[in-house]
């Protein structure tokens, strides 16, 4: 078992995201439980303390925000225009994890 020099961020939708999602054309009526069933984990650089976690969030929130929106609606014209860090925190709960262990012997492969 090898420790990986990354941290993980898990992002869970809150009510404003759900309201946006349910406002989109087509059948919706999703619940937060349905939306949050299987979340993407984002690998980030390692951090030492809460101050570093906040810096990481400031650095990556826009990319993550857009990935979460794109996962449900691919047309950016339908995305909310306000995608600030404040809006991100209103729309999502974040969960940081600092210890990542790789239990697989095969090398990690990436796909662009």
């Amino acid at each position: 078992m090898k420790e990986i020099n990354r941290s993980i961020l898990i992002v869970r939708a809150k009510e404003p995201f759900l309201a946006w999602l349910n406002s989109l054309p087509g059948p919706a009526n999703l619940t937060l439980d349905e939306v949050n069933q299987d979340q993407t984990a984002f690998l980030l650089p390692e951090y030492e303390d809460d101050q570093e976690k906040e810096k990481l969030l400031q650095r990556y929130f826009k990319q993550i925000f857009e990935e979460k929106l794109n996962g449900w609606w691919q047309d950016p014209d339908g995305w909310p225009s306000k995608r600030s860090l404040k809006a991100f925190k209103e729309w999502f709960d974040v969960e940081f994890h600092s210890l990542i262990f790789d239990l697989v012997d095969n090398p990690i492969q990436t796909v662009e």
Side-chain angles (χ1 to χ4, degrees), residues 3-111:
E3 185 175 343
I4 298 175
N5 65 338
R6 297 287 188 272
S7 63
I8 285 184
L9 179 70
I10 296 173
V11 180
R12 297 187 198 294
K14 292 165 60 172
E15 286 295 333
F17 180 84
L18 182 65
W20 167 77
L21 191 57
N22 283 327
S23 75
L24 295 171
N29 290 331
L30 295 166
T31 67
L32 276 178
D33 285 341
E34 291 169 329
V35 172
N36 288 323
Q37 267 184 351
D38 184 21
Q39 292 306 308
T40 303
F42 298 92
L43 289 175
L44 300 176
E46 295 176 292
Y47 61 87
E48 292 293 323
D49 54 31
D50 287 345
Q51 186 177 7
E52 286 186 29
K53 288 193 307 190
E54 186 62 25
K55 285 181 182 178
L56 288 172
L57 197 54
Q58 287 173 2
R59 181 175 176 189
Y60 293 106
F61 85 89
K62 184 178 179 187
Q63 193 175 351
I64 295 168
F65 205 159
E66 291 179 356
E67 176 62 30
K68 297 298 284 184
L69 295 170
N70 191 60
W72 291 92
W73 191 257
Q74 287 78 40
D75 181 3
D77 290 337
W79 296 354
S81 58
K82 292 184 178 182
R83 295 194 297 272
S84 63
L85 179 57
K86 182 179 185 241
F88 179 83
K89 290 179 176 182
E90 290 170 354
W91 282 44
F92 301 102
D93 280 323
V94 297
E95 187 178 302
F96 282 89
H97 298 277
S98 61
L99 291 175
I100 312 304
F101 292 95
D102 189 352
L103 300 176
V104 181
D105 290 331
N106 299 336
I108 295 174
Q109 295 178 345
T110 60
V111 178

